[in-house]
């Protein structure tokens, strides 16, 4: 969707708006609390984070942070664990897109001479419970995706999980945090893992197809800094292991061209390195494997991870709630850097300067020479 279509969809982008909701009640409009800024940071593989600031709420007589009714104690209303939703967009506040749902995990303020104190509230999305503690579990003859579903259920999350390709003889979580463990499973399957709303996502990256938005430099795209880097790129990955029963050596291989989601019109870092170096670099690792299929799968996952370091970038645009991790955006007006990029992080911020969206991307290909 290009900027003209987005402008029609969002009422010409003239009236940016945001809402911070506590227990589904609008903090500004229903509690008359002066929220001066809000920010939402979303990322693949980690917990999303939010923050917002509250001004003009300190009552110098009672020495309390109070809502405008003079009775509601904001430190009670915004206590640790309070459920928060933050929405941003344009036009009618009731129709704004919710960008994050989570709980309050941090409350801070500052008492300084000559200035009234403000409240700073922050927290994490519903991945937060998976960040703390360490667990030890095991699964026998199960798919990695089944382990993911079990862990999601333990934390009361719904799931958007695509079954992994093969049954594993043994899956071990050994004194690892749940989110850390899910990332390990995602990495070895070439998947992405993240939480949106109350749903845990675990599936291949949505990095194929056109972008959810199309922006041009100078027309909605405020700035963009791409970085193509051949350092660390390889033409082949080899994973070495042993068959526990036969003691035979197992070698899994993946070569450039096997990168998932690559643009066939462009070249990967592995392609480029072939034209630069006479001797082709190979990534060789030794890992525990169950069989040939497991070794090959791990090699492909390592190739994917390595290839995605070839092209990275970060940019800023007018506020657009459509820009989210695990989505594509198409950027134009950038010469040979014009292409569709895969979003790995997105930050949405609303303050006195208006609504802006910053993003970080990763890609495994660039233009063909």
């Amino acid at each position: 969707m290009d900027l003209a279509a987005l402008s029609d969809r969002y009422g010409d982008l003239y009236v940016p708006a945001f809402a911070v909701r506590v227990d589904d009640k609008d903090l500004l409009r229903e509690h008359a609390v002066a929220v001066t800024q809000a920010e939402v940071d979303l990322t693949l593989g980690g917990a999303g984070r939010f923050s917002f600031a509250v001004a003009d709420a300190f009552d110098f007589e009672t020495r309390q942070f109070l809502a405008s009714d003079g009775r509601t104690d904001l430190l009670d209303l915004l206590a640790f664990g309070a459920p928060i939703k933050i929405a941003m967009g344009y036009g009618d506040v009731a129709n704004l897109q919710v960008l994050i749902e989570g709980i309050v995990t941090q409350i801070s303020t500052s008492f300084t001479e000559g200035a009234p104190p403000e409240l700073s509230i922050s927290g994490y999305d519903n991945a937060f419970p998976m960040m703390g503690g360490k667990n030890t579990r095991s699964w026998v003859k199960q798919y990695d995706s089944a382990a993911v579903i079990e862990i999601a259920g333990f934390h009361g999350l719904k799931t958007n999980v695509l079954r992994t390709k093969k049954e594993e003889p043994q899956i071990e979580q050994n004194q690892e945090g749940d989110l850390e463990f899910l990332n390990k499973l995602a990495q070895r399957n070439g998947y992405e893992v993240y939480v949106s709303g109350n749903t845990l996502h675990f599936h291949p990256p949505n990095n194929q197809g056109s972008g959810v938005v199309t922006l041009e430099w100078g027309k909605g795209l405020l700035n963009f800094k791409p970085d193509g880097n051949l350092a660390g790129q390889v033409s082949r990955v080899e994973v070495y292991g042993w068959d526990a029963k036969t003691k035979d050596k197992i070698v899994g291989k993946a070569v450039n061209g096997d990168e998932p989601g690559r643009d066939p019109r462009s070249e990967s870092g592995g392609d480029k390195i072939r034209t630069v170096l006479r001797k082709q670099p190979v990534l060789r690792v030794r890992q525990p494997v169950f069989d040939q299929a497991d070794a090959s799968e791990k090699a492909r996952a390592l190739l994917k991870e390595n290839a995605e370091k070839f092209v990275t970038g970060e940019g800023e645009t007018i506020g657009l709630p459509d820009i989210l991790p695990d989505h594509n955006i198409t950027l134009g007006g950038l010469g040979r850097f014009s292409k569709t990029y895969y979003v790995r992080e997105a930050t949405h911020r609303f303050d006195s300067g208006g609504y802006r969206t910053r993003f970080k991307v990763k890609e495994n290909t660039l233009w063909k020479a």
Side-chain angles (χ1 to χ4, degrees):
M1 187 179 294
D2 61 19
L3 191 60
L6 286 170
S7 181
D8 290 341
R9 176 178 171 183
Y10 292 126
D12 294 328
L13 305 174
Y14 283 151
V15 188
F18 77 105
V20 177
R21 299 174 184 137
V22 185
D23 275 325
D24 286 325
K25 290 187 176 181
D26 192 306
L27 196 59
L28 175 63
R29 296 161 186 86
E30 295 183 68
H31 289 286
V33 173
V35 181
T36 57
Q37 64 183 43
E39 183 169 293
V40 173
D41 298 297
L42 304 171
T43 183
L44 297 173
R49 191 175 185 275
F50 66 83
S51 63
F52 59 91
V54 174
D56 300 325
F58 188 73
D59 186 296
F60 282 91
E61 291 185 7
T62 63
R63 301 290 166 167
Q64 292 179 301
F65 288 96
L66 299 176
S68 63
D69 61 12
R71 299 185 305 274
T72 303
D73 189 326
L74 293 183
L75 294 182
D76 289 336
L77 182 66
L78 301 172
F80 293 119
I84 300 291
K85 294 180 183 179
I86 296 182
M88 296 185 188
Y90 296 86
D92 186 359
V93 173
N95 296 324
L96 300 180
Q97 180 173 328
V98 175
L99 295 175
I100 193 168
E101 299 180 26
I103 61 171
V104 172
T105 64
Q106 185 175 359
I107 304 168
S108 61
T109 187
S110 177
F111 295 91
T112 59
E113 184 178 3
E118 292 190 353
L119 274 180
S120 179
I121 308 295
S122 57
Y124 289 95
D125 67 11
N126 290 320
F128 177 71
M130 297 189 291
M131 295 171 59
K134 296 184 182 296
N135 289 304
T136 297
R137 303 182 180 97
S138 64
W139 295 262
V140 178
K141 293 184 178 180
Q142 275 287 9
Y143 292 87
D144 283 348
S145 50
V148 172
I149 291 172
E150 182 178 322
I151 291 173
F154 177 79
H155 292 287
L157 295 172
K158 300 176 182 178
T159 57
N160 176 19
V161 173
L162 183 67
R163 196 177 80 168
T164 44
K165 293 181 180 178
K166 66 185 189 67
E167 186 178 83
E168 303 288 349
Q170 187 89 5
I171 304 172
E172 293 285 347
Q173 181 182 7
N174 185 17
Q175 295 185 4
E176 297 169 283
D178 286 347
L179 188 57
E180 175 189 5
F181 178 64
L182 293 181
N183 270 289
K184 186 173 77 173
L185 296 184
Q187 180 182 358
R188 78 181 189 185
N189 287 280
Y191 279 27
E192 301 289 2
V193 61
Y194 59 95
V195 171
S196 65
N198 199 41
T199 300
L200 174 70
H201 298 261
F202 183 83
H203 48 67
N206 292 315
N207 59 358
Q208 300 186 36
S210 59
V212 292
V213 298
T214 299
L215 300 169
E216 288 194 29
W217 183 36
K219 298 179 181 179
L221 180 62
L222 304 177
N223 60 71
F224 182 60
K225 181 182 177 182
D227 183 11
N229 191 346
L230 273 183
Q233 290 300 302
V234 298
S235 61
R236 187 168 74 252
V237 175
E238 297 177 355
V239 173
Y240 291 82
W242 296 91
D243 188 304
K245 295 181 180 178
T246 66
K247 307 303 181 184
D248 292 333
K249 182 169 70 173
I250 299 174
V251 182
K253 297 181 180 180
V255 299
N256 71 286
D258 293 340
E259 302 93 344
R262 63 174 290 166
D263 184 345
R265 300 165 297 178
S266 304
E267 291 181 308
S268 69
D271 295 329
K272 292 283 187 183
I273 205 76
R274 285 180 176 274
T275 67
V276 174
L277 299 180
R278 185 171 56 185
K279 185 169 179 149
Q280 300 307 303
V282 179
L283 174 62
R284 296 183 176 92
V285 298
R286 189 175 299 278
Q287 290 188 358
V289 298
F290 294 112
D291 51 30
Q292 181 63 56
D294 186 39
S296 298
E297 191 67 30
K298 287 181 176 177
R300 284 191 291 270
L302 285 172
L303 180 69
K304 171 186 177 293
E305 180 185 13
N306 202 72
E308 288 175 345
K309 298 175 183 176
F310 176 42
V311 182
T312 58
E314 55 186 87
E316 185 177 16
T317 177
I318 58 175
L320 293 173
D322 305 79
I323 299 178
L324 299 169
D326 197 36
H327 287 62
N328 292 326
I329 55 173
T330 300
L331 305 182
L334 303 169
R336 296 172 78 177
F337 286 99
S338 297
K339 64 171 299 195
T340 297
Y341 292 86
Y342 180 61
V343 180
R344 60 186 178 93
E345 294 182 27
T347 299
H348 296 264
R349 182 177 176 85
F350 198 111
D351 57 22
S352 59
Y355 177 23
R356 292 287 185 270
T357 299
R358 302 191 306 273
F359 57 86
K360 293 183 179 181
V361 296
K362 60 180 181 180
E363 273 298 310
N364 56 26
T365 61
L366 268 179
W367 67 83
K368 285 187 177 181

